[in-house]
Amino acid sequence: MAWDLKVGELKESYVTEDMIWQRLNYFFFDAKTTTSYKYGFFKALLENLYVMDEERNLHYDYLFYDFTKIYWNLVVHHQLWQSNAKSQYSSIQRILEDVQIEHTIPKNWRFDQLPVSLQQEIVQNIKKAGKQYVIGAFYGDVDGLFYRFHLKDESLQMNPPVLQFLKKYQRLITNLTNYQLAKFLEKYNPDFTQMLIRVEQVSQRENLKEFRELLQTACGATCFYCGKTSKKTLHVDHFIPWFYVQNDKLWNFVLACASCNTRKNKRVPSQHYVKALLLQNQQVQQQVRMDYFYAYQPEKLEELYQFAISNGCKVWL
Ligand SMILES: [Zn+2]
């Protein structure tokens, strides 16, 4: 049993793509699942591939922020049962339902609508449960190839070839994870329709107002693409489209007029806009709290751009 491991060293540092596919196939199709946790955890990990420091450490606060967001939206917003037995509450579901009742939070609220201090409090509680039940379990399913961890630490460390692999196949693997999570939830929540769509959208925020205000203060109310100043509300655009990155980082946001935003749709802008965004980030970085740019590097944005294209994002302009 691996779920109660406190420490996991990397089993191999030399890992081929075949070995990784083999472990992923085992994880997706044969590993034992009594709750949805491992899928939710892997989904959160995939949302954080570009939030690691130079040593490829992923801080638990970032990982479990996204894990908590996913579970809040599944459990409270969608009211979905998370274990494989009706008599057996999963502890994460219990924690979240208790918070919702205690603070009388409307059930339709998404995680990003909660007050920031409450979000942080919930993340710390879920982090405790996640450390206990998920990090070792997932580590065991992938045979110790993906990361090393010590529960005393505040981060796990990714195996370099595995991190590259996950970036290279990010879109396929994200979709597979969504599919398996939806399949699990569908089995134990038979009355719900459109489970896959719910899962695919579970990480989406209610709104991006916070980012609009920061960008408008730092860059003014002009469209990043056409340069026009707009009196109307500008859209907050994911430079690398959301469907691909599945996260909301300030360094991947630009302001866009309605017309540019609609025309760009789910595509990436052409290469010269990458340079413009690197400049914008330089400027914004000086004016906001440091954690908005945690682990950001210009090279990371360039790498993300290249991987987005090789993962099938079309180019606009
Ligand atoms: Zn425009």
Side-chain angles (χ1 to χ4, degrees), residues 223 225-227 256-257 260:
C223 173
Y225 299 109
C226 70
C257 69
C260 287

Side-chain angles (χ1 to χ4, degrees), residues 83-101:
S83 88
N84 67 352
K86 273 291 166 201
S87 55
Q88 184 75 48
Y89 246 94
S90 84
S91 46
I92 285 170
Q93 179 172 347
R94 173 84 76 192
I95 295 170
L96 295 172
E97 289 186 358
D98 286 351
V99 174
Q100 184 267 325
I101 292 164

